[in-house]
Amino acid sequence: MDRAAAEAIYDSGREACVDFIIELCERYERQVARLEARVERLEEKLRENSGNSSRPPSADPPAKRPQRERPASQRGPGGQPGHEGTTRKLVSGERVDRFIDHWPALCEGCGQRFEPTKREPAADPHRHQVFELPPVAIEVCEHRAHALLCAGCGKRTRAPLPGALAGSVFGPRLQAAITMLSVRNRISRRDVAELCEELFGTAISVGSIDAICQRTSAGLVGPYGELREQVKDAAVVCVDETGWRQAGEQRTLWGAITERHAAFHIAADRYTRRFAGNLLKLWPALWTFAEIEGVEPTNNRAERGLRGAVIYRKISLGSQSDAGARFAERMLSVSQTCRLQGRSLFTFLIEAIGASARGSPAPSLV
């Protein structure tokens, strides 16, 4: 309002001025009430954390938690006198690879020498077990395909190698270990090659490691397809997404996770738009937790399931091809499902790689 408008209201008389002032005060009070409500909502949002809302712990602010004041303890650091301790349990004799006996040479009392030929144990031996890696952990097995000359026709015939050996010079256990190190343990291809040479005593090129990953991916087509169908038909599914890069282009990594199964999928952003368009059709399913007892009203299961995938993406910088994307989504699905089921990923990969080399059906995770 400018000065001329204010003077016009003043010149209109006492009643007009009073009415204008009352209206102005009511408008001001309404505006203040709206601002106070907004401030309250914002302050309530700032007070949210992973302990009082559905936010994941990673979204908590870095503020230091207030420490409770308590009197200083009179106990010293470390284990206290009389506590039982946590000595490692001995494994059974069947698991021991070799035994090394140690005998005393001299008597502690008189110094007399014990003759090796006259040893008579006076008590059960004290057992101390040492766990160690062998110097070379990889076994090299050479397959020799011999040839024979037929006495009848004179033709030379050479024995064929088993079909399972034709695909690679690396065995299923080594391939499973390399694949698991690449995804579950999130080690780069170059570091895996260095680790194989330093730890296993075997030189493997980065290209061979990538070829192993692609063969493993091909062997997981069946289990991955079963996981997608199992998750799609589940009664309760938690879904979340994160960004992904493929050859410099933007992609989206989707994760759909149930109590015992996980399925990841890398798609272009237009997958994203289709999902948003269909969200209204799925709206009733978003309130399943209000109707079925035991269903958590949070999305923590999906958020936890994506954490490993996010770290893998940051280290690998995404994928460079469709084949790389398929490997990532299949391995991430299998890895997370094995974790949910308390199943050994290493053992499953050995079985899957071996079945693929033989042309047999892959093991199932459903």
Side-chain angles (χ1 to χ4, degrees):
M1 177 183 294
D2 57 11
R3 183 178 182 84
E7 291 178 348
I9 294 174
Y10 179 80
D11 293 340
S12 61
R14 181 175 180 273
E15 290 298 326
C17 288
V18 171
D19 292 341
F20 176 75
I21 293 173
I22 293 175
E23 180 184 356
L24 188 63
C25 290
E26 291 176 349
R27 188 184 306 172
Y28 172 77
E29 291 174 355
R30 288 194 298 269
Q31 181 69 9
V32 170
R34 285 196 298 269
L35 293 175
E36 288 179 345
R38 183 181 180 187
V39 170
E40 178 63 25
R41 288 194 302 270
L42 292 175
E43 290 180 345
E44 184 67 26
K45 195 71 175 177
L46 289 174
R47 287 192 290 267
E48 289 183 357
N49 55 52
S50 58
N52 57 21
S53 69
S54 60
R55 293 174 56 177
S58 58
D60 286 345
K64 185 178 181 180
R65 293 182 178 180
Q67 296 183 353
R68 293 179 299 174
E69 294 185 2
R70 56 182 180 181
S73 174
Q74 301 299 318
R75 300 191 308 172
Q80 303 304 307
H83 90 293
E84 295 183 359
T86 56
T87 304
R88 185 181 183 89
K89 294 182 179 180
L90 298 174
V91 301
S92 62
E94 292 79 8
R95 289 191 55 195
V96 177
D97 296 297
R98 58 180 178 142
F99 297 89
I100 300 177
D101 294 313
H102 301 271
W103 299 90
L106 301 175
C107 174
E108 293 181 349
C110 64
Q112 180 178 341
R113 179 175 296 277
F114 292 111
E115 296 296 335
T117 58
K118 299 180 180 180
R119 289 172 179 165
E120 290 291 337
D124 292 336
H126 169 71
R127 300 170 62 198
H128 176 74
Q129 295 177 345
V130 177
F131 297 77
E132 179 61 288
L133 286 173
V136 177
I138 290 183
E139 176 188 61
V140 179
C141 181
E142 180 177 307
H143 295 262
R144 298 179 177 180
H146 292 280
L148 294 176
L149 194 64
C150 179
C153 66
K155 183 176 178 59
R156 187 178 64 181
T157 303
R158 187 175 297 279
L161 290 174
L165 301 177
S168 175
V169 298
F170 305 109
R173 293 179 63 86
L174 180 56
Q175 293 187 65
I178 288 174
T179 308
M180 188 174 72
L181 289 172
S182 299
V183 178
R184 169 67 71 82
N185 302 107
R186 299 179 284 274
I187 301 178
S188 69
R189 303 281 200 273
R190 192 170 302 279
D191 286 345
V192 170
E194 182 178 325
L195 182 65
C196 286
E197 186 165 6
E198 290 286 339
L199 186 59
F200 300 152
T202 297
I204 302 179
S205 67
V206 174
S208 295
I209 292 174
D210 193 66
I212 289 173
C213 292
Q214 291 306 316
R215 278 194 296 271
T216 303
S217 179
L220 296 179
V221 171
Y224 175 70
E226 292 178 346
L227 284 176
R228 289 188 58 150
E229 292 299 318
Q230 186 75 13
V231 169
K232 184 179 68 175
D233 298 334
V236 178
V237 182
C238 294
V239 179
D240 203 356
E241 52 82 25
T242 187
W244 190 269
R245 304 289 294 183
Q246 180 173 323
E249 297 183 0
Q250 184 66 38
R251 296 288 188 272
T252 301
L253 173 65
W254 288 91
I257 302 173
T258 69
E259 187 177 359
R260 290 180 55 80
H261 303 94
F264 291 87
H265 179 62
I266 298 173
D269 285 345
R270 60 180 182 273
Y271 179 88
T272 307
R273 290 191 291 270
R274 188 183 307 117
F275 176 82
N278 293 331
L279 188 60
L280 290 178
K281 300 178 183 178
L282 303 173
W283 189 259
L286 302 181
W287 303 96
T288 304
F289 69 89
E291 302 173 357
I292 301 179
E293 185 177 358
V295 179
E296 294 183 4
T298 69
N299 202 35
N300 289 343
R301 180 182 296 164
E303 293 172 352
R304 288 193 299 266
L306 274 178
R307 288 175 189 169
V310 170
I311 299 174
Y312 175 75
R313 179 202 67 201
K314 291 181 177 179
I315 294 175
S316 65
L317 302 179
S319 52
Q320 298 300 318
S321 63
D322 288 338
R326 302 293 80 78
F327 166 74
E329 63 188 12
R330 292 168 189 170
M331 272 299 301
L332 290 171
S333 301
V334 169
S335 175
Q336 184 64 20
T337 298
C338 286
R339 178 167 283 160
L340 291 172
Q341 297 180 4
R343 190 168 176 174
S344 170
L345 173 62
F346 183 53
T347 301
F348 177 81
L349 290 176
I350 293 173
E351 296 173 354
I353 293 171
S356 177
R358 295 188 302 269
S360 305
S364 176
L365 286 170
V366 301

Short mmCIF file of all heavy atoms in Angstrom, two decimals, residues 318-343:
data_model
loop_
_atom_site.label_atom_id
_atom_site.label_comp_id
_atom_site.label_asym_id
_atom_site.label_seq_id
_atom_site.Cartn_x
_atom_site.Cartn_y
_atom_site.Cartn_z
N GLY A 318 30.27 -48.30 -12.28
CA GLY A 318 29.16 -48.78 -13.10
C GLY A 318 29.61 -49.88 -14.04
O GLY A 318 30.46 -50.70 -13.71
N SER A 319 29.05 -49.90 -15.24
CA SER A 319 29.39 -50.91 -16.24
C SER A 319 29.66 -50.22 -17.57
O SER A 319 29.26 -49.08 -17.78
CB SER A 319 28.24 -51.93 -16.38
OG SER A 319 27.01 -51.27 -16.61
N GLN A 320 30.31 -50.95 -18.46
CA GLN A 320 30.67 -50.38 -19.76
C GLN A 320 29.87 -50.95 -20.91
O GLN A 320 30.00 -50.49 -22.05
CB GLN A 320 32.17 -50.61 -20.02
CG GLN A 320 33.07 -49.93 -19.01
CD GLN A 320 32.89 -48.42 -18.97
OE1 GLN A 320 32.77 -47.78 -20.01
NE2 GLN A 320 32.85 -47.86 -17.77
N SER A 321 29.06 -51.98 -20.66
CA SER A 321 28.30 -52.62 -21.74
C SER A 321 27.08 -53.28 -21.16
O SER A 321 26.93 -53.41 -19.93
CB SER A 321 29.17 -53.66 -22.46
OG SER A 321 29.53 -54.70 -21.56
N ASP A 322 26.18 -53.74 -22.05
CA ASP A 322 25.02 -54.49 -21.60
C ASP A 322 25.43 -55.79 -20.92
O ASP A 322 24.81 -56.21 -19.93
CB ASP A 322 24.10 -54.80 -22.79
CG ASP A 322 23.38 -53.56 -23.31
OD1 ASP A 322 23.25 -52.59 -22.54
OD2 ASP A 322 22.97 -53.55 -24.49
N ALA A 323 26.48 -56.44 -21.44
CA ALA A 323 26.95 -57.68 -20.82
C ALA A 323 27.44 -57.42 -19.40
O ALA A 323 27.19 -58.22 -18.49
CB ALA A 323 28.06 -58.30 -21.66
N GLY A 324 28.14 -56.29 -19.21
CA GLY A 324 28.59 -55.94 -17.87
C GLY A 324 27.44 -55.64 -16.93
O GLY A 324 27.48 -55.99 -15.74
N ALA A 325 26.39 -55.00 -17.44
CA ALA A 325 25.22 -54.71 -16.62
C ALA A 325 24.50 -55.99 -16.22
O ALA A 325 24.05 -56.14 -15.08
CB ALA A 325 24.26 -53.78 -17.38
N ARG A 326 24.40 -56.95 -17.17
CA ARG A 326 23.74 -58.22 -16.85
C ARG A 326 24.53 -58.98 -15.79
O ARG A 326 23.96 -59.60 -14.89
CB ARG A 326 23.58 -59.07 -18.10
CG ARG A 326 22.80 -58.45 -19.25
CD ARG A 326 21.32 -58.25 -18.94
NE ARG A 326 21.06 -57.07 -18.14
CZ ARG A 326 21.03 -55.82 -18.62
NH1 ARG A 326 21.28 -55.59 -19.89
NH2 ARG A 326 20.74 -54.81 -17.83
N PHE A 327 25.87 -58.96 -15.90
CA PHE A 327 26.70 -59.62 -14.90
C PHE A 327 26.46 -59.00 -13.53
O PHE A 327 26.30 -59.70 -12.52
CB PHE A 327 28.18 -59.52 -15.27
CG PHE A 327 29.12 -59.87 -14.14
CD1 PHE A 327 29.28 -61.18 -13.75
CD2 PHE A 327 29.82 -58.87 -13.48
CE1 PHE A 327 30.15 -61.51 -12.71
CE2 PHE A 327 30.69 -59.19 -12.44
CZ PHE A 327 30.84 -60.51 -12.06
N ALA A 328 26.44 -57.67 -13.47
CA ALA A 328 26.28 -56.98 -12.18
C ALA A 328 24.93 -57.31 -11.55
O ALA A 328 24.86 -57.65 -10.37
CB ALA A 328 26.42 -55.46 -12.38
N GLU A 329 23.84 -57.22 -12.31
CA GLU A 329 22.53 -57.45 -11.72
C GLU A 329 22.35 -58.92 -11.31
O GLU A 329 21.72 -59.20 -10.28
CB GLU A 329 21.42 -57.01 -12.68
CG GLU A 329 21.36 -57.77 -13.99
CD GLU A 329 20.37 -57.17 -14.98
OE1 GLU A 329 19.91 -56.04 -14.73
OE2 GLU A 329 20.06 -57.83 -15.99
N ARG A 330 22.89 -59.85 -12.08
CA ARG A 330 22.76 -61.27 -11.72
C ARG A 330 23.58 -61.60 -10.48
O ARG A 330 23.10 -62.26 -9.56
CB ARG A 330 23.19 -62.14 -12.90
CG ARG A 330 22.25 -62.06 -14.08
CD ARG A 330 22.85 -62.70 -15.33
NE ARG A 330 22.03 -62.45 -16.52
CZ ARG A 330 22.41 -62.72 -17.76
NH1 ARG A 330 23.61 -63.25 -18.00
NH2 ARG A 330 21.60 -62.45 -18.78
N MET A 331 24.84 -61.14 -10.45
CA MET A 331 25.69 -61.44 -9.31
C MET A 331 25.21 -60.74 -8.04
O MET A 331 25.26 -61.32 -6.94
CB MET A 331 27.13 -61.04 -9.61
CG MET A 331 27.96 -62.12 -10.28
SD MET A 331 28.12 -63.61 -9.28
CE MET A 331 28.90 -62.96 -7.80
N LEU A 332 24.75 -59.51 -8.15
CA LEU A 332 24.21 -58.81 -6.98
C LEU A 332 22.98 -59.52 -6.44
O LEU A 332 22.79 -59.62 -5.23
CB LEU A 332 23.89 -57.36 -7.33
CG LEU A 332 25.09 -56.44 -7.59
CD1 LEU A 332 24.63 -55.10 -8.14
CD2 LEU A 332 25.92 -56.24 -6.32
N SER A 333 22.14 -60.02 -7.33
CA SER A 333 20.93 -60.74 -6.91
C SER A 333 21.30 -62.03 -6.19
O SER A 333 20.77 -62.33 -5.11
CB SER A 333 20.05 -61.05 -8.13
OG SER A 333 19.67 -59.87 -8.80
N VAL A 334 22.20 -62.80 -6.78
CA VAL A 334 22.61 -64.07 -6.18
C VAL A 334 23.33 -63.84 -4.86
O VAL A 334 23.10 -64.54 -3.87
CB VAL A 334 23.49 -64.85 -7.17
CG1 VAL A 334 24.14 -66.05 -6.49
CG2 VAL A 334 22.67 -65.33 -8.36
N SER A 335 24.22 -62.85 -4.82
CA SER A 335 24.98 -62.56 -3.61
C SER A 335 24.06 -62.17 -2.45
O SER A 335 24.18 -62.71 -1.34
CB SER A 335 25.98 -61.45 -3.88
OG SER A 335 26.66 -61.07 -2.70
N GLN A 336 23.12 -61.26 -2.70
CA GLN A 336 22.23 -60.82 -1.63
C GLN A 336 21.27 -61.93 -1.21
O GLN A 336 20.96 -62.08 -0.02
CB GLN A 336 21.44 -59.58 -2.08
CG GLN A 336 20.54 -58.98 -1.01
CD GLN A 336 21.32 -58.45 0.18
OE1 GLN A 336 22.51 -58.20 0.10
NE2 GLN A 336 20.65 -58.30 1.30
N THR A 337 20.81 -62.75 -2.15
CA THR A 337 19.91 -63.85 -1.81
C THR A 337 20.63 -64.87 -0.93
O THR A 337 20.05 -65.36 0.05
CB THR A 337 19.38 -64.52 -3.09
OG1 THR A 337 18.62 -63.56 -3.83
CG2 THR A 337 18.49 -65.70 -2.75
N CYS A 338 21.87 -65.22 -1.28
CA CYS A 338 22.63 -66.15 -0.44
C CYS A 338 22.81 -65.59 0.96
O CYS A 338 22.74 -66.32 1.96
CB CYS A 338 23.98 -66.44 -1.08
SG CYS A 338 23.93 -67.53 -2.52
N ARG A 339 23.03 -64.29 1.06
CA ARG A 339 23.18 -63.67 2.38
C ARG A 339 21.87 -63.74 3.17
O ARG A 339 21.87 -64.03 4.37
CB ARG A 339 23.63 -62.23 2.21
CG ARG A 339 23.78 -61.46 3.52
CD ARG A 339 24.54 -60.17 3.28
NE ARG A 339 25.97 -60.43 3.12
CZ ARG A 339 26.81 -59.59 2.54
NH1 ARG A 339 26.36 -58.45 2.03
NH2 ARG A 339 28.09 -59.87 2.46
N LEU A 340 20.75 -63.48 2.52
CA LEU A 340 19.46 -63.54 3.19
C LEU A 340 19.13 -64.96 3.66
O LEU A 340 18.49 -65.14 4.69
CB LEU A 340 18.35 -63.04 2.25
CG LEU A 340 18.35 -61.56 1.90
CD1 LEU A 340 17.31 -61.26 0.83
CD2 LEU A 340 18.07 -60.71 3.14
N GLN A 341 19.57 -65.95 2.91
CA GLN A 341 19.27 -67.34 3.24
C GLN A 341 20.34 -67.99 4.11
O GLN A 341 20.21 -69.16 4.48
CB GLN A 341 19.11 -68.16 1.95
CG GLN A 341 17.95 -67.71 1.08
CD GLN A 341 17.82 -68.52 -0.19
OE1 GLN A 341 18.55 -69.48 -0.41
NE2 GLN A 341 16.87 -68.15 -1.04
N GLY A 342 21.41 -67.25 4.47
CA GLY A 342 22.49 -67.82 5.24
C GLY A 342 23.21 -68.92 4.48
O GLY A 342 23.67 -69.90 5.07
N ARG A 343 23.30 -68.76 3.18
CA ARG A 343 23.87 -69.78 2.29
C ARG A 343 25.24 -69.33 1.81
O ARG A 343 25.49 -68.13 1.64
CB ARG A 343 22.93 -69.97 1.11
CG ARG A 343 23.21 -71.14 0.20
CD ARG A 343 22.02 -71.35 -0.72
NE ARG A 343 22.26 -72.41 -1.69
CZ ARG A 343 21.31 -72.86 -2.51
NH1 ARG A 343 20.09 -72.37 -2.47
NH2 ARG A 343 21.60 -73.83 -3.36
#
